[in-house]
């Protein structure tokens, strides 16, 4: 049996309830030279911004948040990818499935943070259950976006 559907003003069918993805919080490892320091890392996903994953590093006044491409992050759990300010690559050591190294920053000293790769992959799978790959554009309110940038 199919899920109950409702229709928006534009006539498109939408699920009766938007699926939600609980944020994932973990303790990552910030890598600097030969030292590693624990750092709180939080990942969150909003189906209304389906191409993006928000990643917060640290707590309080020193917390930093980055908006990353969900697809690039997913690809980085399998193979090295990215360029410029954002890069990912899987590491074999640490945990059942290893770790994912996240490199952030341009010129100067970049920030390197490692997180558990299998746990991140499990969390990302939930985002793809909520919004399957290739359907992201159907989750955008394009009229609201156009109004936001002044096109309407």
């Amino acid at each position: 049996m199919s899920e109950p559907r409702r229709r928006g003003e534009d006539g498109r069918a939408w699920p009766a309830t938007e699926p939600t993805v609980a944020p994932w919080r973990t303790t990552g490892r910030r890598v600097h030279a030969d030292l590693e320091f624990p750092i709180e890392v939080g990942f969150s996903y909003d189906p209304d911004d389906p191409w993006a994953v928000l990643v917060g590093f640290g707590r309080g006044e020193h917390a930093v948040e980055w908006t990353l491409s969900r697809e690039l992050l997913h690809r980085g759990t399998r193979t090295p990818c990215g360029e410029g300010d954002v890069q990912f690559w899987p590491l074999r050591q640490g945990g059942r499935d290893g770790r994912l190294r996240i490199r952030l920053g341009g010129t100067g000293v970049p920030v390197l943070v490692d997180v558990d790769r299998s746990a991140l992959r499990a969390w990302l799978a939930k985002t793809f259950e909520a919004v399957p790959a290739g359907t992201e554009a159907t989750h955008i309110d394009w009229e609201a976006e156009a109004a936001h940038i002044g096109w309407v």
Side-chain angles (χ1 to χ4, degrees):
M1 180 172 210
S2 66
E3 187 176 342
R5 314 242 340 141
R6 61 184 165 82
R7 299 218 174 255
E9 290 179 16
D10 61 358
R12 289 187 302 176
W14 291 91
T17 58
E18 277 295 320
T20 59
V21 177
W24 176 55
R25 301 201 190 301
T26 187
T27 300
R29 292 186 258 189
R30 179 159 182 220
V31 180
H32 182 72
D34 290 333
L35 303 172
E36 293 184 1
F37 305 94
I39 185 169
E40 186 173 315
V41 183
F43 293 81
S44 61
Y45 181 75
D46 180 355
D48 289 338
D49 191 4
W51 287 289
V53 169
L54 294 177
V55 184
F57 300 93
R59 297 186 106 177
E61 65 185 58
H62 300 292
V64 175
E65 190 171 80
W66 282 68
T67 302
L68 304 177
S69 160
R70 177 176 73 153
E71 178 55 36
L72 189 64
L73 181 60
H74 182 252
R75 193 171 355 134
T77 65
R78 297 181 315 271
T79 185
C81 64
E83 59 184 56
D85 288 353
V86 179
Q87 297 176 14
F88 307 102
W89 61 94
L91 302 171
R92 293 189 193 278
Q93 71 270 22
R96 185 186 75 182
D97 196 28
R99 296 181 287 174
L100 175 70
R101 175 147 302 163
I102 303 169
R103 180 193 181 278
L104 302 170
T107 59
V109 179
V111 173
L112 301 174
V113 176
D114 294 350
V115 296
D116 181 275
R117 189 164 53 131
S118 63
L120 176 59
R121 288 174 74 152
W123 181 81
L124 279 169
K126 293 175 187 173
T127 74
F128 285 104
E129 288 172 12
V131 179
T135 68
E136 293 90 350
T138 65
H139 291 263
I140 301 292
D141 181 344
W142 292 108
E143 288 183 23
E145 291 297 321
H148 179 72
I149 60 174
W151 287 0
V152 175

